[in-house]
Amino acid sequence: MDAIVVGAGPAGSTAAYFLARAGLEVVLLERGPFPGSKNIGGATLFGRPTNELFPGFWQEAPLERVILDVQYWILTEDSAARFATKSRQFVNPPFNRITIIRSKFDAWLANKAAGAGATLLTGHKADGLLFRGQKAVGVRLAYPQDGDLYADVVILADGSNSLLGSQAGVIPKIKAKDMSLYVKETIALPAGAIEERFNVGPREGVGIGLGGYNTAGLVGTSSLHTYTDSVGINVGIIVDTLKRCGLNPNDLLDRIKAHPAMAPLIAGGPTVEYTAHLIPDGGYNAIPKLVHDGILIVGDAAGLVNGTHGINLAMFSGKFAAEAVIEAKRKKDFSAASLSLYQKLLDQSFVLQDLRKYRNVPAFYSSHPYVFDLYSRMMVETALEVASVYPIPLDQKRRLIWGKMKSMQPPVRILKDAHDAWKVTW
Amino acid sequence: MNREEKLATDYFIVDVVPHVWVKDPSLCGIRCPDAACLKLCPSRVFVPLETEQGPAIGVNYAVCLECGACRLLCSQDNIHFEYPRSGFGIVHRWG
């Protein structure tokens, strides 16, 4: 056999698809009863990158709603400052952003790999990597198969918490500061109610990034996505931060759902699923060595998440891994040196270019843990004052706003923070 | 909806073999500096128990959402976490 891909998520299935399409013999392993059964996402799929890998994907993939309205909300206890970009320009294929439900989308992608000739084996959990000398030669399958499977290359696509990689010593033990813990609730609502509440047409939807109150001012992200007949709300915080605060993510999620700007959007909708997952958030500096003798690491297992964007990075990494394996087979050399084409392709693409450029952002957040809380409050306070009308002259109102800002953070410190933020992002 | 009601919406295929456990129970109880597992687990798999030997941690692995955060957050590196055996554990119908 040419390759074993462990994990039928976006990275693994894309790798298996391109390997199979090139005529290689590939097995795609999935521990769950079906591909997607263990996976979670917000989830937004980006149309243009996806279309580059799977031209015309929108005609066959199970998509939920085309996002016509990209929104960012900054919340405090009782207020929300909202920024929205709504455009009919987003309605045309291959679309800008589309919401997906992972149990459906991942199953489609894995079946696409199977359709190209990959052998998809669900209910197959790999329990360890097999080595001959330094080179990986296959995987050991756990109960109920209890057998060994051999191949020239193993592609690790087993997700953010790659126990397989850490057991084999190819991925160092993940640190709590480099992982975010996300919880998500899927809330059922009739399609008509979604369209009414979010002011969109059939098959159209919104994606809302939610900051400030939703993460309790902690470094993290939260978002709301509309699907065909349900809405997803999630929140994720760095594990280390949660630990220091002694905060349970479910309590945070409940607080979000009760916020006056959020509650009406989901009113009357029963929760139909509650899930949790880790997402790599350590950035470039937390990425392990991705190429070993007979091993390539892709997707979340490789820490290839940029902010919260991961699915398209995962798919591209899967494609690059496939290209490297195809080339290695041609050379009949599966050493790390031969497979390093994967690293080269990643380095040359937006996947690693962005991650490398923003490599110091996670460090900025840990040295400036107050920025999310402080500046979200300052933005909402400013927005509130701008929107408020008083029986005073405008000049006095401007001084009032400026005085309020100064009382929240001295101007020197604002400049210092802006400078520090600029240094890690430009 | 409280946590139990939310968990009741999830679809679990529960194995008879646990996939999460406390490696050395004697390290828990009064010796643990922060009891992070009790506080942070999204589905409260870890529950405090009073035993004849003193306080201990119960592990209700049946409602585990398989995030694996427990393995990272235990101050004493005292939690064994692996994914459930093939075909077992949570099955996402949405995800």
Side-chain angles (χ1 to χ4, degrees):
Chain A
M1 197 183 313
D2 294 312
I4 298 166
V5 182
V6 185
S13 292
T14 305
Y17 170 79
F18 282 102
L19 286 169
R21 214 182 57 163
L24 272 69
E25 208 181 315
V26 51
V27 165
L28 178 57
L29 302 176
E30 169 55 47
R31 72 181 174 94
F34 60 87
S37 59
K38 301 290 183 179
N39 305 349
I40 300 181
T44 300
L45 184 73
F46 301 117
R48 293 182 191 92
T50 306
N51 198 48
E52 223 169 275
L53 300 176
F54 301 99
F57 73 96
W58 70 87
Q59 289 155 330
E60 41 173 308
L63 306 174
E64 295 294 313
R65 288 175 182 268
V66 175
I67 298 183
L68 288 195
D69 197 350
V70 182
Q71 302 187 10
Y72 296 95
W73 294 14
I74 301 168
L75 301 97
T76 56
E77 288 74 8
D78 57 358
S79 312
R82 307 191 277 197
F83 307 88
T85 309
K86 189 172 186 178
S87 173
R88 299 306 300 176
Q89 288 182 20
F90 296 147
V91 296
N92 298 317
F95 308 114
N96 180 42
R97 300 164 185 244
I98 316 128
T99 57
I100 53 170
I101 285 178
R102 293 290 301 273
S103 60
K104 297 182 193 168
F105 182 82
D106 291 17
W108 168 77
L109 197 57
N111 280 320
K112 196 149 172 73
T119 305
L120 171 63
L121 300 174
T122 56
H124 279 60
K125 183 190 169 196
D127 233 5
L129 295 178
L130 301 171
F131 287 90
R132 192 171 297 140
Q134 291 291 305
K135 186 191 170 293
V137 292
V139 301
R140 193 177 59 243
L141 292 173
Y143 171 90
Q145 294 86 23
D146 290 321
D148 295 341
L149 208 55
Y150 293 93
D152 290 328
V153 184
V154 177
I155 296 179
L156 285 182
D158 54 335
S160 57
N161 204 9
S162 174
L163 299 180
L164 215 51
S166 55
Q167 274 162 18
V170 293
I171 298 176
K173 190 181 173 187
I174 308 158
K175 297 189 186 81
K177 72 171 179 60
D178 292 332
M179 279 283 164
S180 283
L181 171 56
Y182 276 79
V183 288
K184 176 183 178 183
E185 268 181 63
T186 305
I187 296 158
L189 280 174
I194 291 172
E195 285 143 24
E196 212 167 277
R197 290 180 193 190
F198 293 92
N199 192 21
V200 288
R203 312 279 298 154
E204 299 171 358
V206 302
I208 312 177
L210 302 156
Y213 178 84
N214 283 34
T215 61
L218 301 170
V219 177
T221 70
S222 170
S223 66
L224 181 150
H225 289 78
T226 54
Y227 315 117
T228 305
D229 49 13
S230 56
V231 169
I233 298 186
N234 67 70
V235 60
I237 310 278
I238 302 269
V239 174
D240 198 37
T241 306
L242 282 174
K243 184 177 165 177
R244 266 187 283 119
C245 305
L247 191 62
N248 190 286
N250 178 57
D251 297 340
L252 209 49
L253 197 52
D254 283 343
R255 221 175 71 120
I256 293 169
K257 287 167 64 190
H259 189 280
M262 308 290 301
L265 299 176
I266 51 171
T271 296
V272 289
E273 192 169 68
Y274 171 56
T275 49
H277 212 277
L278 291 178
I279 293 183
D281 245 340
Y284 186 81
N285 295 334
I287 295 176
K289 194 165 162 276
L290 302 181
V291 183
H292 302 261
D293 290 334
I295 303 174
L296 292 175
I297 307 172
V298 297
D300 275 7
L304 299 177
V305 174
N306 186 7
T308 51
H309 300 175
I311 297 170
N312 58 334
L313 275 58
M315 292 198 292
F316 269 87
S317 72
K319 174 168 192 252
F320 296 149
E323 283 180 34
V325 172
I326 292 164
E327 180 61 20
K329 183 179 162 71
R330 201 184 55 76
K331 290 190 289 190
K332 295 194 176 61
D333 176 4
F334 299 94
S335 66
S338 168
L339 289 168
S340 66
L341 172 64
Y342 170 56
Q343 183 70 46
K344 202 171 135 199
L345 291 170
L346 273 182
D347 280 332
Q348 288 167 352
S349 77
F350 71 98
V351 176
L352 275 188
Q353 280 171 7
D354 280 352
L355 273 160
R356 197 181 302 114
K357 181 173 162 110
Y358 301 116
R359 64 197 302 165
N360 292 321
V361 170
F364 169 78
Y365 286 142
S366 36
S367 59
H368 300 65
Y370 56 87
V371 291
F372 272 49
D373 183 47
L374 177 68
Y375 291 104
S376 65
R377 280 176 191 282
M378 286 173 74
M379 284 167 86
V380 175
E381 285 299 332
T382 309
L384 278 175
E385 292 299 347
V386 169
S388 299
V389 179
Y390 304 104
I392 56 170
L394 271 178
D395 271 348
Q396 199 181 332
K397 184 174 158 182
R398 281 190 201 108
R399 281 197 298 278
L400 183 103
I401 297 177
W402 179 233
K404 206 166 187 176
M405 292 306 109
K406 277 198 296 191
S407 75
M408 293 175 86
Q409 176 82 321
V412 212
R413 294 292 307 275
I414 298 178
L415 285 175
K416 171 88 170 57
D417 289 341
H419 174 256
D420 292 349
W422 179 79
K423 268 202 312 199
V424 297
T425 49
W426 284 84
Chain B
M1 260 180 149
N2 63 31
R3 188 190 321 264
E4 285 68 32
E5 289 166 327
K6 289 184 198 177
L7 288 169
T9 67
D10 286 336
Y11 182 55
F12 293 100
I13 301 173
V14 181
D15 196 353
V16 290
V17 180
H19 66 282
V20 193
W21 60 82
V22 174
K23 292 184 206 168
D24 178 359
S26 71
L27 293 178
C28 301
I30 49 170
R31 290 188 214 176
C32 180
D34 47 26
C37 62
L38 298 183
K39 293 178 194 151
L40 268 66
C41 173
S43 54
R44 291 224 195 277
V45 163
F46 304 92
V47 288
L49 295 178
E50 283 301 329
T51 67
E52 281 172 17
Q53 290 81 36
I57 305 282
V59 184
N60 184 13
Y61 70 90
V63 295
C64 174
L65 301 178
E66 298 172 33
C67 71
C70 52
R71 179 172 153 264
L72 306 183
L73 56 81
C74 177
S75 298
Q76 314 191 87
D77 194 18
N78 197 26
I79 296 174
H80 174 91
F81 171 86
E82 62 187 67
Y83 293 112
R85 299 194 295 172
S86 306
F88 289 107
I90 190 165
V91 180
H92 297 159
R93 289 155 302 152
W94 281 268

